[in-house]
Amino acid sequence: MFIAIVQLPGVSRGKEEAIASGLASSGKFAGMDGLHTKYYLNGENGGGGVYIWEPREKAEAFYTEDWYPAMEKVFGVRPILTCYDNYVVVDNDAGEVRVEGEAVDPGEAAA
């Protein structure tokens, strides 16, 4: 799994405006090939998103050099993009720990 965190410093919105903005752009991301989940972020220091991708190549194809000026045009600030590989997930909702998507017994894996 590949995780991209996009920060938009200084782009602060009220709750209702943030919801409206997220809903307005959600159609672009719904069903996007390779994008498993997108979380819209909003807070005192700005906005952004957390994107969960698989495979990594789909994310790399999305975050091109053209992406930065396009985001800056929309939000008035250059985004900060930070990317991570993700190997281990603790999913309390599902009651499992996964390594590269496969459920494991964490006690056995630690041995």
Side-chain angles (χ1 to χ4, degrees):
M1 195 172 349
F2 187 74
I3 299 174
I5 300 174
V6 175
Q7 294 173 281
L8 299 166
V11 178
S12 184
R13 302 174 174 171
K15 179 180 177 180
E16 296 305 317
E17 186 181 356
I19 291 170
S21 177
L23 289 174
S25 71
S26 64
K28 174 181 178 179
F29 299 101
M32 182 178 280
D33 188 32
L35 180 64
H36 288 262
T37 308
K38 176 183 175 170
Y39 296 92
Y40 289 85
L41 305 177
N42 188 57
E44 292 178 9
N45 297 317
V50 176
Y51 302 74
I52 312 298
W53 296 90
E54 186 70 35
R56 175 190 193 111
E57 292 77 17
K58 296 292 184 179
E60 290 171 344
F62 183 76
Y63 303 111
T64 65
E65 285 302 315
D66 293 336
W67 175 81
Y68 288 94
M71 291 288 289
E72 190 169 3
K73 183 176 180 181
V74 171
F75 294 103
V77 63
R78 186 171 175 86
I80 299 168
L81 175 64
T82 308
C83 297
Y84 301 92
D85 290 310
N86 172 255
Y87 309 113
V88 180
V89 173
V90 175
D91 186 337
N92 289 325
D93 291 331
E96 63 185 21
V97 175
R98 293 186 296 274
V99 175
E100 296 187 314
E102 299 295 323
V104 299
D105 179 339
E108 291 179 16

